[in-house]
């Protein structure tokens, strides 16, 4: 995401919002990449944003007033008539008290949907045609949002080729995690003190990279260069390290994931495993075809694994789950690692994914360097 607003309300960066929907035969609505502020997402989801109105003379609707009506804390008729008419397209008729009461449940889906959309340059909601219109709320409930990687790649290419391109690449991530695991799992930054409490805490990670840093790709050595391995091996190690930290952070943030002991062992072993340092001129990641890789990957896993097991076990014991806590006893590290070695298929898949990601990144750099050289 470019850390500069495209067009925005005061104090709020904007995004491009796109949504095609067919609520009835012949009734097609299309938001074609309209520019909206992050704070106005709920208005856009409900079709009440000023940029979605053909007639601008209609009185505007404040996002707080809309949220109050949808949540049931204020009557629907506090909204202007034109807004109720637009809302009825999504929620169904709102003419009677019974109809308005029935609209509260689907309204919660719209509020949650707007809350799940993270800051991004572009947001695309799924196409809903009239045949699937009755299931629209189930569809929106299940909608997952992923970063638009193509946008960032193009921005990186432009920054690499054009010294005059200014701005930043920004990544933001919000997640709830047990306080006891925050310090050992946090993938970026640090926490001074560890809170042993199982109470969930909210973490907001914001990472910012100057576009000038992308220009390093334009001088990276080509595969034919003697310096290719020396320069790119540390890149591979950095990517592998980040993969371990972020996967464990996202997977283990929910303490319920510890219920699946074997899967948790695999993720913990992956987090604690050593990134492949590189070998020869083109071997940047583990070769998982044979069986030698697992010995190297887990050779130094005991100490980092113990650092995660201790707070995890303490957290489980604090919540009265003593039997499950025994499965995460840091004195049983040998047993845990042996379980992972015995069922190595899952760990192999994770390390193979490392290889694919590193390969794609290095290929991107080589192709970009070739383009610059041309």
């Amino acid at each position: 995401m470019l850390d500069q607003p495209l067009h925005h309300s005061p104090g709020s960066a904007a995004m491009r919002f796109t949504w095609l929907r067919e609520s009835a035969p012949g009734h097609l609505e299309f938001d074609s990449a309209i520019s909206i502020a992050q704070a106005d997402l709920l208005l856009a989801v409900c079709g009440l944003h000023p940029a979605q109105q053909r007639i601008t003379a209609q009185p505007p609707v404040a996002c707080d007033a809309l949220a109050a009506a949808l949540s049931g804390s204020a009557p629907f008729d506090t909204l202007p008539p034109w807004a109720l008419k637009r809302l009825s397209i999504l929620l169904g008729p709102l003419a009677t008290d019974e109809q308005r009461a029935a609209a509260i449940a689907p309204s919660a889906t719209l509020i949650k949907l707007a809350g799940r959309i993270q800051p991004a340059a572009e947001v695309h909601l799924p196409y809903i045609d009239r045949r699937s219109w009755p299931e629209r709320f189930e569809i929106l409930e299940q909608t997952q949002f992923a970063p638009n990687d193509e946008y960032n790649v193009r921005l990186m290419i432009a920054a690499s080729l054009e010294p005059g391109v200014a701005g930043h690449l920004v990544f933001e991530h919000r997640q709830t995690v047990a306080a006891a695991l925050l310090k050992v799992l946090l993938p970026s930054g640090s926490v001074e003190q560890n809170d042993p409490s199982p109470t969930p805490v909210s973490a907001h990670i914001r990472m910012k990279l100057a576009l000038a840093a992308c220009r390093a790709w334009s001088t990276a050595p080509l595969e034919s260069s003697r310096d290719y391995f020396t320069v790119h091996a540390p890149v591979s190690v950095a990517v592998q390290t980040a993969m371990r930290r972020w996967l464990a952070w996202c997977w283990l943030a929910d303490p319920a994931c510890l219920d699946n002991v074997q899967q948790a062992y695999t993720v913990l072993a992956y987090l604690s495993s050593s990134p492949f340092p590189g070998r020869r001129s083109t071997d940047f990641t583990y070769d998982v075809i044979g069986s030698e890789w697992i010995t190297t990957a887990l050779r130094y896993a005991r100490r980092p694994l113990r650092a995660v097991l201790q707070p995890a076990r303490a957290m489980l014991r604090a919540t009265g789950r003593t039997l499950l806590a025994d499965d995460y006893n840091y004195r049983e590290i040998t047993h845990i690692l042996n379980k992972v070695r015995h069922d190595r298929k899952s760990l192999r898949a994770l390390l193979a994914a490392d290889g694919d990601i590193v390969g794609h990144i290095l290929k991107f750099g080589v192709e970009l360097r070739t383009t610059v050289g041309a």
Side-chain angles (χ1 to χ4, degrees):
M1 170 172 88
L2 184 60
D3 190 30
Q4 295 175 345
L6 303 170
H7 173 68
H8 59 88
S9 301
S12 181
M15 62 181 67
R16 291 186 290 270
F17 180 86
T18 300
W19 192 17
L20 176 64
R21 52 208 183 273
E22 183 187 16
S23 57
H27 186 85
L28 189 69
E29 292 194 354
F30 182 35
D31 299 314
S32 181
I34 60 172
S35 180
I36 65 170
Q38 173 78 20
D40 294 336
L41 263 172
L42 184 59
L43 288 172
V45 168
C46 295
L48 305 182
H49 191 276
Q52 297 167 307
Q53 305 308 313
R54 295 191 180 94
I55 302 175
T56 57
Q58 300 286 4
V61 176
C63 198
D64 290 345
L66 174 61
L70 294 179
S71 64
S73 60
F76 272 104
D77 56 14
T78 57
L79 301 175
W82 73 267
L84 288 177
K85 184 177 180 180
R86 290 297 298 263
L87 273 178
S88 66
I89 298 174
L90 267 179
L91 300 176
L94 297 171
T96 67
D97 291 341
E98 292 77 11
Q99 291 171 343
R100 296 178 183 186
I104 296 299
S107 295
T109 297
L110 302 180
I111 295 174
K112 291 178 183 177
L113 177 71
R116 288 194 292 114
I117 300 175
Q118 297 295 320
E122 299 183 21
V123 174
H124 295 262
L125 266 63
Y127 169 59
I128 302 178
D129 62 21
R130 63 183 180 88
R131 291 172 298 179
S132 56
W133 189 252
E135 293 81 39
R136 58 193 179 280
F137 296 109
E138 289 81 358
I139 294 171
L140 294 175
E141 187 78 40
Q142 297 170 9
T143 298
Q144 301 294 321
F145 296 95
N148 187 341
D149 296 331
E150 182 179 356
Y151 178 86
N152 283 336
V153 168
R154 289 180 179 179
L155 183 59
M156 290 175 66
I157 293 173
S160 300
L161 299 177
E162 300 292 339
V165 176
H168 296 82
L169 284 169
V170 175
F171 170 79
E172 290 196 78
H173 175 83
R174 298 176 187 271
Q175 184 164 290
T176 300
V177 63
L181 299 177
L182 180 61
K183 184 175 182 179
V184 293
L185 292 181
L186 191 66
S188 176
S190 60
V191 177
E192 292 185 2
Q193 295 181 345
N194 193 35
D195 183 353
S197 169
T199 304
V201 294
S202 179
H204 178 201
I205 298 173
R206 189 174 192 272
M207 304 174 71
K208 187 174 180 180
L209 176 69
L211 288 178
C214 300
R215 293 172 201 138
W217 287 112
S218 63
T219 57
L222 297 174
E223 287 184 278
S224 57
S225 169
R226 293 173 55 186
D227 296 327
Y228 178 74
F229 178 82
T230 303
V231 170
H232 288 88
V235 174
S236 171
V237 171
V239 172
Q240 293 177 70
T241 302
M243 286 290 296
R244 284 155 172 73
R245 299 290 297 176
W246 279 100
L247 185 140
W249 167 255
C250 293
W251 198 88
L252 293 171
D254 182 1
C257 290
L258 295 174
D259 292 347
N260 190 325
V261 176
Q262 185 59 44
Q263 283 189 8
Y265 283 174
T266 298
V267 174
L268 290 172
Y270 176 63
L271 170 65
S272 306
S273 65
S274 302
F276 188 73
R279 184 178 57 207
R280 297 191 293 271
S281 59
T282 57
D283 294 343
F284 292 106
T285 56
Y286 285 103
D287 179 2
V288 295
I289 299 299
S291 58
E292 298 83 4
W293 58 271
I294 197 165
T295 300
T296 305
L298 299 180
R299 180 170 295 154
Y300 303 108
R302 299 178 67 87
R303 179 175 292 179
L305 181 55
R306 182 183 293 109
V308 185
L309 288 174
Q310 287 178 322
R313 181 170 182 257
M315 179 188 68
L316 291 170
R317 290 178 66 87
T319 57
R321 308 185 70 186
T322 55
L323 290 178
L324 183 61
D326 290 341
D327 289 324
Y328 296 93
N329 191 333
Y330 58 89
R331 295 186 178 90
E332 299 295 332
I333 286 181
T334 299
H335 167 72
I336 293 173
L337 292 178
N338 285 338
K339 292 276 288 184
V340 175
R341 291 186 182 99
H342 179 73
D343 183 19
R344 65 184 65 182
K345 183 178 179 181
S346 297
L347 184 59
R348 177 188 286 115
L350 291 174
L351 295 181
D354 276 358
D356 289 340
I357 292 173
V358 169
H360 284 300
I361 290 175
L362 297 187
K363 182 181 179 182
F364 166 78
V366 169
E367 292 181 350
L368 181 60
R369 178 69 176 89
T370 304
T371 303
V372 174

